Amino acid sequence: MSAIFGLIHFDNQPVAQGDLARMDAALVRHGAEGRLWWHGAVGLGQRQMRFTPQDAWEYQPLVSNDGLCVLVADARLDNRAELLSGWKSESQDHVLAEQPHMLSGLQSSVPELPDGALILHAYHTWGIDCVHHLVGVYAFALWDARRQIFFAARSPIVAPSLVYTESAHSFAFATTPSGLHALPTVPRTLDDAGLVRLLTGLGGDGATTIYRDIAQLPSGHRMLISNGSVRVDRYWQPDPDHEIRFRNDAEYLEAFRHLFDRVVDDHLSSATPVALQMSGGLDSSAIAAVSARLLADRGEQLTTFTEVPRPGFEDKVFQWGYADETPLVQAVAAMYPNIRKHLIHTDGQLFLTDLDRTFAHLEIPFYNTSNRVWIEAILAETSSRGMKVLLDGTQGNITMSWPGHAWLADLLYKRQLVRRSAEEMVALARNRGLNEAVRVVRAHAIASLLPEHVAQFARRLRRRSQPAQPSWQLASPIHPALQPSTVCRTMKMTGVSAIAASPTGVVSATRRWPRRMEAPIYPPIAPSTAWTCAHPPQMCGLPSSPSLCPRINTGGDGEARSLMRRAMAGQLPESILTNRKRGLQAADWYERLMGARAEIDATLTHIEQNELAQRVLDLQRMRHLFERMPTVIENGEDYIAYLRFLQGGLMIGAFLDWFERGN
């Protein structure tokens, strides 16, 4: 990812070049090429990395032809053709003028025109509403001297991060907090509310970070600063009431295939060969199949990387899953000769190794602790092969392969669709069995339709047969002294306990999910070497798809992920299309933990000496869990305790130590 940053003084005092230079130096790991622009009370900068063919022509900060607008962006636009087509009636010289250093005489298709120039021209065309016309993954900021406004935005769902700090006299933004901490006016201090969200996993509002006085612009939001006033508003969210209807099932399938091909093809735009982080699941396998087919037409190969446990490993806790995804990956590769698969073994490696490098890049603890080893191994392998774009199927299960069970509640709530909901439940029982059908209906339909007071009573009854502690508390390494008041305030702020507790719960949850997907700090950046980038292809990349998938995914046959399974028929092996089990990521994580007891003991002992860790972590229980580690985990409670509580506590404790050392 590239890094962008900037500084504005509300009192019209000139921006000091030294402040911009310090921000630039703090972000050097995010791009080898650094450039600055400043004029009067405003200064902007970018640290650039190049991924797509168009990036070769990118030169930022980008100044408009009239010299009155300046833009910095970290962006990859997917609707370039549509934007250029809409501007055909204008003189393309006007668009090209946004990039004054470019060579003249470009072809009419302007393939070299960088995304920054398109964003700046979109702003000239539509103003702050330009975000409604941009499709892709982006974060950008611009200064409009004519209107004396600062404007910034992040793309919906997935976006490069953008954090900021403000005071009565100034405003500053950057891709990561280190860019802001470079300023002498921004203290490098952690925020208690952000730490509670991090420790409990209760989610956030999309704006809170773990750093004091630093906020994040949430994805799908834009910011406007005028006359010293900062305004943030959401410009995008899925519309759960919007439906796209076709005449028959065949047309739905054809529309989905066309859209899916388009989205994947957009993500294949790269200045280097493309790689894919592939599992045996439906989402990444579908991306592999479409990518391989599209690349074969160009005479190119698709390189895939799959994490596998040690040979012979078998999980003994979750029988609904499988540890080794090799057979499914091999089945896909057998269908596409241009797939070059690579199995990644990280036997014996532990997530605690070389964490300082990861923290310096992320500036937060690594989420999903056990996955750090194999994710970084794949990123390192990708980078060593000179590949700059790594695709994956992240978040596919909430978009293109949404299971669709929550649709039952929507059907039941709309009384005129009772017959339709009954048909869906009968089909579900036929496909998955009566017990599974009852479970799905109870969990995803009836529970969400209960009035609030009935739902609360049901939850109280259910807790009588469960541990006294809530599930988040069993898995969270938070210190007991922080739990009663601080956590309750955090839950109240985020509305965690209110979702899906009323007849409007389904709609409420649907409307909330884009913000709830935000990390409680800012979206994690892949902890890779500085030139490896991950762009997950997903249906949310195009404007119509968020409402397209939830409305047609069940397909009327009671089958979860029905649309994706039927659309990929003939393109994926039956072993994947009919698979109902889930792959277990880092399945052998506990074996690794057991094999590194000495390293864990040393790390825990070091963390126990840290005053900040003593205040926020339940070090006593962490030590207790370590001292009584069983040879083999045989139940779900221990599984969560060691995966989330002990490992998560060690990761956060190591981060707090890194932070206290001032790295």
Side-chain angles (χ1 to χ4, degrees), residues 152-368:
R154 289 180 67 214
S155 54
I157 312 302
V158 175
S161 60
L162 194 154
V163 293
Y164 64 93
T165 185
E166 59 177 304
S167 68
H169 305 290
S170 65
F171 170 91
F173 75 92
T175 294
T176 60
S178 59
L180 301 179
H181 290 143
L183 298 171
T185 56
V186 182
R188 188 174 179 268
T189 309
L190 294 176
D191 178 75
D192 282 351
L195 281 175
V196 168
R197 286 175 172 157
L198 175 69
L199 288 162
T200 60
L202 290 176
D205 55 5
T208 302
T209 76
I210 61 172
Y211 294 99
R212 186 175 299 172
D213 298 329
I214 293 180
Q216 174 182 244
L217 181 65
S219 61
H221 283 62
R222 59 188 173 185
M223 170 185 289
L224 187 67
I225 300 179
S226 179
N227 296 322
S229 176
V230 180
R231 188 185 80 204
V232 174
D233 71 287
R234 178 190 291 187
Y235 70 84
W236 181 93
Q237 66 179 17
D239 181 2
D241 298 319
H242 178 65
E243 296 185 2
I244 296 177
R245 294 189 175 275
F246 296 102
R247 290 175 298 180
N248 53 55
D249 188 67
E251 290 189 359
Y252 283 113
L253 291 175
E254 180 58 31
F256 177 86
R257 291 181 182 124
H258 175 76
L259 185 59
F260 189 34
D261 277 14
R262 166 67 193 277
V263 171
V264 173
D265 194 31
D266 286 336
H267 286 76
L268 293 178
S269 176
S270 173
T272 65
V274 174
L276 170 66
Q277 182 177 296
M278 183 182 177
S279 71
L282 186 58
D283 299 324
S284 65
S285 295
I287 294 167
V290 174
S291 298
R293 171 167 50 82
L294 295 174
L295 291 173
D297 293 339
R298 308 170 193 174
E300 300 176 15
Q301 297 179 346
L302 174 67
T303 301
T304 67
F305 299 98
T306 304
E307 172 261 344
V308 294
R310 66 157 177 83
F313 175 83
E314 290 185 12
D315 179 75
K316 293 180 171 54
V317 179
F318 299 116
Q319 298 305 314
W320 43 258
Y322 51 91
D324 190 353
E325 304 188 90
T326 302
L328 295 173
V329 171
Q330 289 175 333
V332 176
M335 293 184 66
Y336 298 94
N338 64 325
I339 288 182
R340 297 292 179 265
K341 70 179 188 304
H342 298 274
L343 304 180
I344 302 298
H345 292 270
T346 56
D347 302 352
Q349 299 180 32
L350 190 66
F351 70 94
L352 291 172
T353 304
D354 196 20
L355 275 175
D356 280 5
R357 177 179 58 85
T358 297
F359 294 148
H361 188 85
L362 293 178
E363 300 181 46
I364 56 173
F366 191 98
Y367 188 68
N368 283 337

Side-chain angles (χ1 to χ4, degrees), residues 28-71:
V28 67
R29 66 172 55 89
H30 296 292
E33 304 173 39
R35 303 182 190 89
L36 305 176
W37 173 95
W38 67 96
H39 181 76
V42 180
L44 300 174
Q46 188 206 43
R47 275 278 166 184
Q48 187 169 353
M49 301 177 71
R50 304 185 187 276
F51 302 111
T52 69
Q54 292 77 27
D55 285 344
W57 301 93
E58 197 74 75
Y59 190 91
Q60 296 181 22
L62 177 59
V63 182
S64 64
N65 192 43
D66 57 14
L68 296 178
C69 273
V70 186
L71 173 138

Side-chain angles (χ1 to χ4, degrees), residues 51-98:
F51 302 111
T52 69
Q54 292 77 27
D55 285 344
W57 301 93
E58 197 74 75
Y59 190 91
Q60 296 181 22
L62 177 59
V63 182
S64 64
N65 192 43
D66 57 14
L68 296 178
C69 273
V70 186
L71 173 138
V72 288
D74 181 12
R76 192 209 70 243
L77 295 183
D78 295 333
N79 64 330
R80 294 172 52 86
E82 288 84 351
L83 288 172
L84 289 169
S85 176
W87 293 327
K88 273 186 177 179
S89 58
E90 307 177 26
S91 168
Q92 287 199 345
D93 291 339
H94 180 60
V95 184
L96 292 174
E98 313 296 358

Side-chain angles (χ1 to χ4, degrees), residues 85-86 117 135 202 230 241 283 397 401 417 436 438 550 574 595 641 661:
S85 176
V135 177
L202 290 176
V230 180
D241 298 319
D283 299 324
N397 59 347
S401 65
L417 295 178
E436 176 67 7
V438 170
E574 284 298 312
R661 286 187 276 114

